[in-house]
Amino acid sequence: MNIEPGSRVGPYEITETLGEGGMGRVYRAHDSRLGRSVAIKVIQPEVAAHADRLARFEREARLSSSLNHPNIVTIFDFADVDGTAFIAMELVIGESLRKLLKTAPLPLKTALSIAAQLASGLAAAHRVGIVHRDLKPENVMVTPQSTVKILDFGLAKVFDQIGADEKAATQQLVTAGHHVLGTAAYMSPEQARGKDLDFRSDQFSFGLIVYEMLSGRHPFLRASTMETLAAIDRDDPPPLSEVSAEVPEELIWIIERCLQKDPEQRYGSTDDLAIDLMRLRNRSGEMRSTRPRRKQIALWPFAIAAVVLAAIVAGVLLSRLRARPPARQPSYVALHIPGIRISRSPVNTPVAISPDGTRIVIVGNAAGEPPKLWLRNLSSTATMPIAGTEDGYAPSWSRDGKQIAFFAGGKLKIVAVDGGATRTLCDAFSETGSTWNDSGTIVFPQIDAPDGPGLFKIDSRGGPAIRLTRPDPKRGELPNLWPDFLPDGKRFLFVGGNTTGLQATSTQLELFVGSVDGAAPKRLGPIASRVVYRDGLAYYVRDGSLLAQRFDPESLHFSGDPTVVVDRVEYVRDSATAGFSIADNGSICYRTARADTHLVTLDRNGQQLALLGHGVYAAGFGRLSPDGTRVAVGILDPKLGLADLWIYSLTGRAASRITFDTFDERAPVWSRDGRFLYYSIDIQGPPDIFKLDLETNRREPVVMDPGRDDALDLSPDGSTLLYQHFNRASAFDLRILQVGNPARQQTVVGTPFDENDGRFSPDGRWISFTSDVSGKPEVYVVPFPLHGTPVRVSSAGGSTARWRGDGRELTFLGPSGEMMVVSVIATANAIDFGTPQFLFHNAEGIANYELTADGRRFIVQTEEIDPPPPVQLVLR
C-alpha cells in the first residue's frame, strides 16, 4: 500500500516516502499536535493479513518503545487507525552504514566512533533482556553529527522469556521452511543453525559489521546464501592484520573475541564490550597498528647514525624535560563504600573531589541515620562522617582543600575538614552547589530569596550575602544555577535559561559568565548541563556522556570538537544536574546514571505475572486508571535527563507516550472520568502541578507555588486534590485544594519533618501518609475532613501505603522493602488496625508500587538491577 503525500494517518500528515522493507513502508510525516517531523512505518497489507506478522510488527513497537538510549531510535507511538497499523518514531536524518561502506573501508577514527556507539546501544538493550537478532549495516544509521542510531527491533525477542511454543515455531522455520529469521550474511553460527539465542548472538553480528568497516569486505560472504551460512558456521575469518595493516592490535583482539564460533568465548556482558571500545576510542592516538616491519637489509649504518643523532637530541632536551613527570594513563576505579547509602537527588550531585584530587566528600547516610557528609581519603579504606553536617547536601571544596561549604536546613554552612565546629554563613535555600575562589569568596544560588532568585556572594569568614544576578521569572527567565569560578577568581560560569510560557514545549538552558563585581552577565550560548572548567578544558554532560572541550577562559570561546571522557553519567536536564566533579589535575569522581529497572505485576505471593516495561526508570511512579486497565507513569529518558508521561496497559496493548516536551513531567494522577491527568512539570522552575487533557493535549496550571509541588491523589468524589509541597521551612507537607478553585488550599499535615505519599481511603474519610516525625519513616492515617490526630499504622518502620478498593486492607513497604499488609476496621468516627503481616519480599527490591482494587495484583517498579558502585573514579 502506497500513501500519497498530503494524506493523513491518524494525527500525522505524510510528506514523502523514505523507503521500504520486508515489514512495511517508511514515510516522513508531520505531527500536527506537536509541530515536528517524524518517521511513520506503515505495515504492508500483505503482512497485516498474517496474524503472526502483525503481532511481530506490534512487538517491534512495544520493545523499541521500552528502550530509551541515544543510540537507539526512539519510538513515539503505535496505533491502528481505520485498519492501517503504524509506528511513529524519531526521524533520523543521515545515511545508513551500508551506504557508507559502499565506497571503501572507513577511517579508523570513524569506525571506532561508530563501533563504540553501536556497542553502547546494544548493551542497553541486552541489559534488559532484548536481543536484536537482525543487526546489519542496513539497520544502522549515522547522522551528520556522527551519532549512531540502531533501527528495527522488529525481530527482537526477550531472550529470558521465550516460551516452548515460540522455540518450536522458530525451529520449524529452519527445518521445514528452509529459512531463518534475520539476514543470512550477519547471522551468528547458532542463529544459522536455528539454536537458542542470547545477547552473544548480537555480538557476533556486531563483530562482522566492525570487520567490514575496517577491511571493506565481509569475511564470510560467498556466492549463495547456503554457502555464506556454511562459511559462518565453519570457516575462520581472514586475519585482519593481513587485510588491513592499520588496525590496532587491541581492536583486532576485540573483533576476534566477538567472532568466536562458541558463544561462551565471546563477551560475558555487552557492557564490557562497550567499555573496551570506549576506552580504545578515547586513546586512539596511542594505539599500535599491526603494519609489518620492513626488512632492514643494508640499513644498519643508517640505524647507527639515527641512534647517535637521537642521543644528541635527547641530551639537549633532557635538561628541559627533567622536571616534567612522564604522562600517566588514567586509571578507572569503582569505589564501593559499605554501609553508606549515597543520596540520589534530581537537583544536586552528592560527590565532590578535592582540588588536589586526594579526597572526596560524599552525601549519604548509614542505616537508620539522617544523611550527612562523609570524607574519604583515596589513599585509605576508611570513610569517616563529618560532624555537624546532618541533612547537608551540595558540598563544595575551598581552593586550599581545608574547608567544605554545604547547605542544610535553609542555611549555607562551612566546616573544616580536619575538625572544628560548623559555622553558619547566611540563610540560603539552594538546589545546586556553590563555588570558591582563592580569596575565600563563595558564590552560591538562592532560589527563594525575599526579592527573587539569583546568585549571591559571601566571604567565607563572615559578612552579608550580596546579590550578583537577578533573573526575572515574569519574563520566563529560569533560576541561575551551578556557578563555577574561572582561574582569575573574579569571573564564574553559571547556567541560566528561559521558557516561553505555559504552553511552551521546551526550556533553553544557556551558559553565562558572571562576575563578583556584579557586572551584567554575558551569554555564551546553549548548553545541556552545568559546566566545570579545569586546565584549558570545559567539562559538561550531553546525551548522558561526560564531554571535554577546549575552552579559552580569556576570550570565553570553545574550540575543536568535544571528546567523550566517560559514558552513562547521572544527568537531570531540568536542573542542569550532572553527577561529576573534577580535580585540578583532571582526576574525576562521578555517579553513573540510574541502572535499568522494570515495571512488573506481582501476585500476593510476590510471583511475577507480567512484565509491563523493559529497562525503564519510573520517575515519581504513577497511578492506576479509574477502570483499573492502565497505569500512567513518568518514564526517565537518560539521553535527555528528563521524564515524560507514558501509559502502560495491563491488558497487553503497547505502551503509549503521552508527552514529548523537553520538560520534566512525572507523578501523574487520573481524574475520576479518566480524561485528565494531574501531574508535575518544571515549566517555570521548581515543579508545579498542571492538568493535561488527554483528548486535546492541552494543559493548564493548577498549583503554582514557590517550591516543589507533586500531585498525589483525588478524593473519591473528584472534588479534592491531595498534593505534597516542599519548602525550606517545613520540608514536605501534605496539602489539599478544591478542584476548580485553586485559591482554596489547606495544609493537611505540616511539621518540620517530612510528610509525603498521601492517599485517600476508598470512602474518602481518611488519608494515609508517610512521616519521619518519630526519627524514621512510619505509616500514619489522619481523618478527613480534618478533625483528629494522626494514628500510627506501622510499628517498626514503613512507607508507601496503599488502600484496597473496599478499604478493609492497607498495604505498605516495611523497613527492608518487604511488602506488608494490615487489616482495617473503620467506624463512623474511629479507625483501628490489626497487626501488620508479612506478604512477600521481592529479590530485586521495590522502589514504588500500585495496588489493584481487588488487592490481588501489585504493579511494581523494581529497584535498580545490579546497582553500580556508589562512586566511580578516573584518577590521573
Side-chain angles (χ1 to χ4, degrees):
M1 178 179 69
N2 186 34
I3 302 177
E4 297 297 328
S7 303
R8 297 185 68 86
V9 178
Y12 307 101
E13 181 180 349
I14 304 299
T15 56
E16 63 176 310
T17 302
L18 296 178
E20 188 170 359
M23 291 294 292
R25 184 168 291 168
V26 182
Y27 301 89
R28 181 173 183 150
H30 179 72
D31 185 344
S32 58
R33 299 170 302 177
L34 300 176
R36 64 175 176 184
S37 293
V38 298
I40 301 293
K41 187 172 185 179
V42 177
I43 192 168
Q44 304 283 31
E46 56 270 25
V47 176
H50 297 272
D52 59 333
R53 295 187 179 184
L54 186 60
R56 190 188 307 166
F57 187 80
E58 181 172 355
R59 184 171 61 206
E60 175 182 345
R62 186 187 301 276
L63 294 181
S64 297
S65 67
S66 71
L67 297 172
N68 289 317
H69 191 275
N71 299 121
I72 298 175
V73 67
T74 301
I75 299 297
F76 298 142
D77 193 10
F78 171 77
D80 189 332
V81 178
D82 298 329
T84 301
F86 65 91
I87 298 174
M89 67 187 80
E90 174 186 5
L91 178 64
V92 181
I93 304 298
E95 296 182 317
S96 71
L97 181 57
R98 170 60 65 210
K99 187 173 182 180
L100 295 179
L101 289 173
K102 281 187 176 180
T103 54
L106 300 182
L108 175 61
K109 183 178 180 180
T110 301
L112 261 177
S113 175
I114 293 174
Q117 294 181 70
L118 185 56
S120 179
L122 284 177
H126 294 169
R127 212 175 296 129
V128 297
I130 298 176
V131 182
H132 192 288
R133 295 204 299 164
D134 194 25
L135 192 64
K136 56 187 177 183
E138 289 80 0
N139 281 338
V140 179
M141 292 289 290
V142 182
T143 73
Q145 294 77 34
S146 300
T147 300
V148 170
K149 295 281 188 178
I150 305 175
L151 310 177
D152 198 356
F153 273 84
L155 297 180
K157 65 179 178 181
V158 181
F159 60 76
D160 60 353
Q161 291 193 337
I162 306 173
D165 292 342
E166 183 178 352
K167 293 178 182 178
T170 302
Q171 184 67 31
Q172 183 178 6
L173 285 174
V174 177
T175 58
H178 303 291
H179 66 280
V180 290
L181 298 174
T183 302
Y186 295 90
M187 287 184 177
S188 64
E190 60 270 26
Q191 188 176 12
R193 300 187 200 114
K195 293 188 174 181
D196 290 341
L197 306 180
D198 63 16
F199 62 93
R200 294 169 296 185
S201 178
D202 281 348
Q203 290 181 12
F204 190 91
S205 305
F206 170 85
L208 292 175
I209 291 173
V210 180
Y211 187 106
E212 190 171 357
M213 285 195 292
L214 295 167
S215 67
R217 72 187 204 191
H218 189 294
F220 301 119
L221 195 61
R222 302 293 188 263
S224 69
T225 298
M226 296 307 297
E227 290 174 311
T228 298
L229 290 174
I232 289 172
D233 189 40
R234 296 194 309 258
D235 299 348
D236 292 325
L240 261 175
S241 57
E242 298 177 4
V243 176
S244 174
E246 301 299 327
V247 182
E249 295 175 357
E250 296 96 323
L251 184 53
I252 289 179
W253 181 87
I254 292 173
I255 297 170
E256 288 179 346
R257 185 172 180 181
C258 291
L259 293 180
Q260 293 298 310
K261 307 295 187 188
D262 183 358
E264 295 293 334
Q265 297 181 23
R266 301 174 203 150
Y267 278 89
S269 163
T270 309
D271 278 307
D272 293 338
L273 168 62
I275 290 171
D276 281 353
L277 283 165
M278 179 188 70
R279 292 177 177 173
L280 199 60
R281 175 192 61 188
N282 291 347
R283 58 185 185 88
S284 57
E286 309 161 11
M287 296 184 297
R288 298 170 295 168
S289 73
T290 57
R291 182 181 296 279
R293 297 177 180 176
R294 296 181 180 179
K295 294 181 179 180
Q296 299 182 356
I297 301 175
L299 294 181
W300 60 268
F302 299 99
I304 293 176
V307 171
V308 172
L309 179 60
I312 296 172
V313 173
V316 173
L317 294 178
L318 184 59
S319 61
R320 300 181 183 180
L321 299 178
R322 187 179 302 277
R324 182 179 301 171
R328 295 179 58 190
Q329 294 301 317
S331 57
Y332 298 81
V333 178
L335 183 61
H336 294 266
I337 307 178
I340 300 174
R341 183 178 180 87
I342 308 300
S343 298
R344 284 278 194 195
S345 170
V347 291
N348 59 73
T349 176
V351 294
I353 193 167
S354 62
D356 63 4
T358 63
R359 293 167 295 176
I360 59 174
V361 62
I362 302 161
V363 181
N365 64 283
E369 297 182 4
K372 65 183 69 171
L373 304 188
W374 300 75
L375 185 67
R376 175 69 174 262
N377 191 316
L378 297 181
S379 63
S380 169
T381 59
T383 303
M384 304 301 296
I386 302 177
T389 64
E390 286 75 13
D391 295 318
Y393 63 94
S396 65
W397 289 85
S398 63
R399 290 295 305 147
D400 60 9
K402 295 181 179 180
Q403 299 181 90
I404 294 171
F406 65 97
F407 298 91
K411 310 287 184 180
L412 174 62
K413 302 181 179 184
I414 60 174
V415 62
V417 175
D418 296 330
T422 298
R423 291 192 295 117
T424 297
L425 293 182
C426 63
D427 289 340
F429 181 68
S430 172
E431 293 186 322
T432 67
S434 58
T435 183
W436 299 60
N437 67 8
D438 289 329
S439 63
T441 297
I442 302 175
V443 174
F444 65 95
Q446 167 71 292
I447 68 169
D448 66 348
D451 56 344
L455 295 176
F456 293 75
K457 70 175 181 179
I458 194 169
D459 192 310
S460 59
R461 293 165 294 187
I466 300 172
R467 179 182 288 275
L468 298 177
T469 69
R470 189 185 297 274
D472 186 356
K474 294 181 180 179
R475 298 173 55 185
E477 295 175 351
L478 299 176
N480 298 157
L481 306 171
W482 296 111
D484 183 72
F485 268 114
L486 291 172
D488 62 12
K490 297 180 179 179
R491 297 171 303 155
F492 51 87
L493 302 172
F494 69 91
V495 177
N498 62 81
T499 184
T500 56
L502 299 184
Q503 292 302 324
T505 58
S506 68
T507 55
Q508 177 64 65
L509 296 179
E510 295 179 312
L511 181 64
F512 292 82
V513 62
S515 174
V516 293
D517 62 11
K522 178 182 178 181
R523 177 183 176 276
L524 302 185
I527 198 69
S529 81
R530 69 186 183 97
V531 179
V532 173
Y533 173 85
R534 295 290 185 272
D535 193 25
L537 294 173
Y539 295 85
Y540 56 92
V541 169
R542 187 175 67 201
D543 291 343
S545 296
L546 177 62
L547 307 179
Q549 189 173 4
R550 301 302 305 179
F551 181 77
D552 185 343
E554 298 302 323
S555 65
L556 303 174
H557 287 158
F558 289 87
S559 61
D561 295 327
T563 59
V564 176
V565 180
V566 290
D567 284 329
R568 295 185 62 203
V569 175
E570 188 174 50
Y571 171 51
V572 181
R573 183 186 184 277
D574 64 313
S575 58
T577 299
F580 71 92
S581 178
I582 313 284
D584 291 345
N585 66 354
S587 291
I588 304 168
C589 69
Y590 69 99
R591 292 293 306 276
T592 54
R594 292 181 183 272
D596 295 323
T597 63
H598 290 167
L599 294 179
V600 300
T601 57
L602 307 177
D603 63 18
R604 286 176 70 92
N605 296 317
Q607 298 300 308
Q608 182 172 314
L609 301 174
L611 182 61
L612 301 180
H614 311 276
V616 296
Y617 182 79
F621 209 60
R623 292 299 305 273
L624 274 170
S625 61
D627 63 5
T629 64
R630 297 170 293 169
V631 59
V633 63
I635 298 296
L636 185 69
D637 183 342
K639 177 176 66 173
L640 296 178
L642 299 170
D644 283 297
L645 300 184
W646 288 68
I647 293 178
Y648 285 82
S649 171
L650 302 185
T651 60
R653 295 182 60 84
S656 299
R657 183 176 176 182
I658 304 304
T659 62
F660 300 88
D661 312 310
T662 52
F663 297 117
D664 195 67
E665 298 161 300
R666 59 179 69 196
V669 172
W670 294 85
S671 65
R672 293 305 175 191
D673 60 5
R675 176 175 173 176
F676 300 97
L677 289 176
Y678 294 86
Y679 68 105
S680 299
I681 179 172
D682 61 341
I683 195 168
Q684 290 189 343
D688 295 305
I689 299 175
F690 276 58
K691 182 171 73 171
L692 177 68
D693 189 324
L694 295 176
E695 294 182 5
T696 66
N697 207 42
R698 295 284 295 178
R699 60 170 176 253
E700 61 182 77
V702 176
V703 179
M704 298 191 71
D705 288 335
R708 180 186 184 97
D709 297 292
D710 295 288
L712 294 176
D713 201 8
L714 276 173
S715 59
D717 63 4
S719 66
T720 305
L721 176 68
L722 176 66
Y723 67 100
Q724 62 190 30
H725 172 78
F726 179 84
N727 62 61
R728 64 172 180 165
S730 58
F732 281 100
D733 291 336
L734 295 182
R735 294 184 176 182
I736 57 173
L737 63 81
Q738 297 300 311
V739 173
N741 189 3
R744 296 188 60 187
Q745 299 181 19
Q746 184 179 1
T747 298
V748 176
V749 186
T751 74
F753 302 92
D754 281 338
E755 288 85 27
N756 52 38
D757 199 16
R759 296 294 177 94
F760 284 105
S761 63
D763 61 9
R765 294 173 36 230
W766 308 91
I767 294 176
S768 63
F769 64 96
T770 302
S771 174
D772 61 356
V773 67
S774 68
K776 61 182 177 181
E778 298 280 5
V779 175
Y780 295 81
V781 168
V782 66
F784 182 79
L786 310 176
H787 52 72
T789 58
V791 177
R792 182 163 154 178
V793 178
S794 57
S795 57
S799 65
T800 325
R802 303 290 181 258
W803 298 87
R804 196 171 72 183
D806 59 8
R808 296 181 179 179
E809 275 190 356
L810 196 65
T811 59
F812 63 91
L813 294 178
S816 299
E818 66 273 25
M819 188 65 71
M820 307 292 292
V821 63
V822 59
S823 60
V824 179
I825 303 173
T827 63
N829 300 311
I831 192 167
D832 196 12
F833 301 94
T835 302
Q837 302 293 322
F838 173 83
L839 274 182
F840 62 84
H841 190 282
N842 183 263
E844 292 182 347
I846 297 175
N848 213 324
Y849 74 97
E850 282 294 297
L851 180 68
T852 57
D854 59 10
R856 296 180 179 178
R857 288 182 297 167
F858 297 82
I859 297 90
V860 169
Q861 175 197 346
T862 62
E863 289 280 9
E864 297 177 359
I865 300 171
D866 298 326
V871 181
Q872 303 280 355
L873 298 171
V874 182
L875 301 178
R876 299 182 186 274

